[in-house]
Amino acid sequence: MDLLYVDNPPGFQILHCLEASTQGGESLFSDALRAVDKVAKLRPEYYATLENFPVTYKYHNNRQTDDLLKKPSIKAVNWSPPFQAPFLVNTGGGTFKGPYPYYSQEQSDDVAAFRTYIEAIRFFKMQLEMDHAILEKKLEPGTAVIFNNRRIVHARRAFENQAGERWLRGAYIDTDVFRSRLRVLEAESH
């Protein structure tokens, strides 16, 4: 999932393979909403935690910095560990006064809630990474994949960059733009 640190993350992502002459580099895809559904069925208390625990995302590169506090709602999934900002939890000395105070209760409540969140997110990650939950595909030059950026998580296997090249070009499509165009095309086809 890309660009979760912006107010309106893109709804769809396109990855177009331009070159793939290296060993390795297979693309991996997993359905985050399926994983959430598994969590809800198997561990409803973890589902409640994932639904209610706020998570901050951060991006800092050159002169651009974005911080965004995501108030959870499981209509879409926000899962992007490389861009997740540090958690701000009261670990002692009263209420935490940081930029994103998650809780205003006693230290023990903050620490307990954070520990429960860590257990829940580990269980969610386990559901995402089960072998049967992953689609693995080596993209060939000229191949493009399009997927829901708010539902599908993606990664890649390691690749050998000493011999050959691997080059993917990415693009994003806003969900509203996609749906609008789809409605127009459906109307024109009737």
Side-chain angles (χ1 to χ4, degrees):
M1 296 179 169
D2 287 4
L3 302 173
L4 294 180
Y5 45 81
V6 298
D7 284 327
N8 188 24
F12 295 92
Q13 185 170 163
I14 302 169
L15 292 175
H16 181 207
C17 179
L18 301 171
E19 179 66 43
S21 58
T22 61
Q23 292 293 322
E26 294 81 7
S27 294
L28 308 170
F29 303 93
S30 186
D31 185 342
L33 287 182
R34 185 210 58 83
V36 165
D37 187 53
K38 296 289 272 184
V39 171
K41 288 177 181 166
L42 298 172
R43 298 296 300 265
E45 72 280 13
Y46 284 169
Y47 177 87
T49 297
L50 295 174
E51 189 174 35
N52 294 300
F53 195 90
V55 177
T56 303
Y57 288 89
K58 182 176 186 127
Y59 175 80
H60 180 76
N61 187 8
N62 296 327
R63 295 182 182 162
Q64 178 183 350
T65 298
D66 289 305
D67 288 331
L68 184 64
L69 175 65
K70 291 287 187 178
K71 300 262 184 194
S73 170
I74 304 186
K75 296 177 197 140
V77 177
N78 298 318
W79 177 252
S80 189
F83 297 100
Q84 191 169 311
F87 287 96
L88 305 176
V89 176
N90 179 8
T91 58
T95 303
F96 183 79
K97 302 291 186 191
Y100 301 117
Y102 291 166
Y103 301 96
S104 59
Q105 298 148 355
E106 295 300 314
Q107 170 194 357
S108 60
D109 291 339
D110 277 12
V111 172
F114 181 68
R115 285 187 178 138
T116 301
Y117 172 77
I118 294 301
E119 291 171 17
I121 205 65
R122 284 182 178 153
F123 189 74
F124 168 75
K125 184 175 184 278
M126 185 175 74
Q127 302 307 310
L128 272 178
E129 295 177 350
M130 291 184 150
D131 286 342
H132 69 273
I134 296 173
L135 171 67
E136 182 171 339
K137 176 78 175 152
K138 172 90 176 200
L139 299 180
E140 299 297 330
T143 303
V145 292
I146 183 169
F147 54 92
N148 185 327
N149 185 57
R150 301 303 308 280
R151 179 174 183 153
I152 303 299
V153 296
H154 65 97
R156 64 161 173 79
R157 298 236 182 256
F159 62 93
E160 179 58 49
N161 64 358
Q162 301 301 317
E165 293 186 31
R166 181 178 187 277
W167 184 18
L168 298 181
R169 174 75 76 178
Y172 302 101
I173 302 171
D174 179 75
T175 304
D176 293 329
V177 171
F178 174 81
R179 287 186 179 150
S180 174
R181 184 68 180 144
L182 187 60
R183 284 191 297 272
V184 168
L185 291 172
E186 285 175 343
E188 288 175 354
S189 70
H190 290 89

